Amino acid sequence: MMHAMMHASVGDDVFGEDPSINQLEEMAARLFNMEAALFCPTGTMSNQIAIRCHTHPGDEVICSNNAHVYIYEGGGIAANSGSQVRAIPGNYGRITGQQVLAAINPDDVHKARTRLVCLENTANRGGGSCYDLEEIRKIRQICNENSLQMHLDGARLFNALVAKKETASQYGEIFDSISVCLSKGLGCPIGSVLLGSKRFMTKARRVRKVFGGSMRQAGFMAAAGIYALQNNIERLSQDHLHAKLISEALMKKDFVKDIMPVETNIVIATMKEKYPAKQIAEILYQKGVHVIAIAPHELRFVTHLDISESMVEKAIQIIEAL
Ligand SMILES: Cc1ncc(COP(=O)(O)O)c(C=O)c1O
């Protein structure tokens, strides 16, 4: 990846003249069988651009109460789009067609206009859970019947594709827009790609500029993205195996109360009442295992391409000795 970055051809992307960014955008659009793509510095920005493009101030966005767009993007939906959120309690971060249908506001001046449904796959706060594609299709049908747009926060979509043996184009044919991160399991230093129609992307390109996310010679970063799409997708299954092994070690510990089902590269473990997650994270950190306390009693472990088999073995030994 470093070699690809150092040898990247670059130009001024604000003028559409960076060959590496153009190549990455074309490649991603082709992969998803969508018309167009836009390189963005972060997943937060690409989600926020999409939401801004799909909504008007005063609209309502339906998503899970644990969605990244809702709880981890600094109130961006309100700040950037002037829209409000209808947060639905999900099943490990996944919401259903029935829930979406029940949350759509009637055409009534008292109510916000429901405009957009945002799904997250895999669901970070759901322990890396994957959607069932059939449920997503049901939600699409409900969106069609109610003139709603659909956005996918696919920060870790490639993990879901590998785990469920699905294809990017199956998602491309359902959603109006998709954001995928290159910077997470795929291993790039920065970068996300927003996908959608040509018309949507013309608008998105303008919003990216307004948000300050249009970059100049960012082809060095796009070259990393091209490399990642070519080389780092299939290997995600190793990260999934590593996460399973870590969860099996955690399951045996008497300070662990519960672990969310492990489907991909995230392990979220709930500690028993007398064991604050921060304290356990600190002990693990001192022994060389970096995890985060995402709630007073919840720890999140994430595996990725910089965590080798031997590092996982070592982490397991450390967990076993706690
Ligand atoms: C599900 C999800 N969406 C979006 C993002 C945002 O990505 P970034 O950190 O690149 O802004 C994250 C980051 O962790 C995430 O987990």
Side-chain angles (χ1 to χ4, degrees):
M1 185 181 281
M2 289 293 276
H3 182 88
M5 291 171 76
M6 285 165 72
H7 294 87
S9 304
V10 297
D12 188 337
D13 185 48
V14 179
F15 291 97
E17 289 171 359
D18 187 298
S20 300
I21 291 185
N22 293 343
Q23 189 188 338
L24 172 66
E25 291 177 347
E26 278 160 28
M27 191 177 165
R30 225 177 308 119
L31 186 60
F32 281 82
N33 202 16
M34 293 177 95
E35 284 178 5
L38 185 71
F39 183 59
C40 297
T42 65
T44 300
M45 189 183 284
S46 53
N47 279 333
Q48 291 298 321
I49 290 172
I51 293 166
R52 170 73 164 260
C53 290
H54 288 306
T55 60
H56 296 103
D59 284 347
E60 197 159 89
V61 177
I62 296 174
C63 63
S64 149
N65 60 356
N66 274 331
H68 195 278
V69 292
Y70 176 46
I71 60 171
Y72 289 137
E73 297 190 3
I77 294 181
N80 298 318
S81 301
S83 288
Q84 64 185 34
V85 168
R86 176 72 70 92
I88 297 178
N91 170 26
Y92 295 111
R94 296 163 299 207
I95 57 175
T96 66
Q98 279 308 317
Q99 287 179 304
V100 169
L101 187 60
I104 299 170
N105 285 332
D107 185 8
D108 174 339
V109 288
H110 298 89
K111 305 276 187 174
R113 199 193 315 252
T114 309
R115 181 83 65 174
L116 175 67
V117 174
C118 279
L119 305 184
E120 186 176 312
N121 198 21
T122 67
N124 172 25
R125 226 29 199 80
S129 61
C130 302
Y131 263 94
D132 172 15
L133 200 50
E134 271 319 300
E135 195 61 44
I136 297 181
R137 291 197 178 109
K138 277 187 207 158
I139 297 174
R140 176 75 261 181
Q141 184 62 29
I142 289 161
C143 288
N144 289 348
E145 288 163 4
N146 291 277
S147 307
L148 307 184
Q149 300 289 293
M150 249 178 116
H151 171 70
L152 176 65
D153 176 355
R156 297 181 187 79
L157 181 60
F158 287 108
N159 293 86
L161 298 184
V162 167
K164 304 272 283 185
K165 302 194 184 344
E166 294 163 347
T167 64
S169 62
Q170 286 177 304
Y171 283 79
E173 74 189 23
I174 298 174
F175 286 90
D176 297 295
S177 57
I178 300 177
S179 162
V180 289
C181 287
L182 303 165
S183 60
K184 302 203 163 50
L186 295 190
C188 295
I190 67 165
S192 285
V193 178
L194 181 61
L195 297 127
S197 68
K198 277 189 185 146
R199 191 152 173 259
F200 172 85
M201 221 50 75
T202 303
K203 210 168 161 186
R205 204 169 276 281
R206 174 172 276 276
V207 175
R208 185 185 65 173
K209 184 69 181 155
V210 174
F211 285 1
S214 300
M215 297 177 283
R216 303 286 174 186
Q217 285 81 14
F220 296 111
M221 297 303 158
I226 293 166
Y227 179 92
L229 291 179
Q230 285 169 341
N231 297 283
N232 291 350
I233 295 177
E234 287 312 315
R235 61 150 309 285
L236 291 170
S237 57
Q238 277 170 253
D239 300 339
H240 301 172
L241 175 66
H242 289 164
K244 266 253 153 55
L245 295 173
I246 290 171
S247 77
E248 283 164 11
L250 283 167
M251 241 173 249
K252 294 184 197 138
K253 301 310 294 184
D254 57 7
F255 56 83
V256 173
K257 184 172 159 196
D258 194 23
I259 300 180
M260 291 186 188
V262 177
E263 294 187 56
T264 54
N265 68 328
I266 297 178
V267 182
I268 296 183
T270 306
M271 306 300 114
K272 285 187 185 152
E273 197 54 39
K274 61 178 177 180
Y275 300 101
K278 259 197 178 145
Q279 206 175 313
I280 298 190
E282 182 55 34
I283 294 168
L284 285 168
Y285 185 81
Q286 279 163 12
K287 294 175 186 293
V289 181
H290 297 190
V291 302
I292 53 170
I294 54 170
H297 287 89
E298 277 182 326
L299 278 184
R300 188 185 79 150
F301 296 69
V302 178
T303 54
H304 51 83
L305 83 176
D306 295 322
I307 307 292
S308 66
E309 196 179 331
S310 62
M311 289 159 92
V312 171
E313 279 166 15
K314 185 143 184 247
I316 288 172
Q317 281 166 11
I318 290 168
I319 291 166
E320 282 171 349
L322 281 184

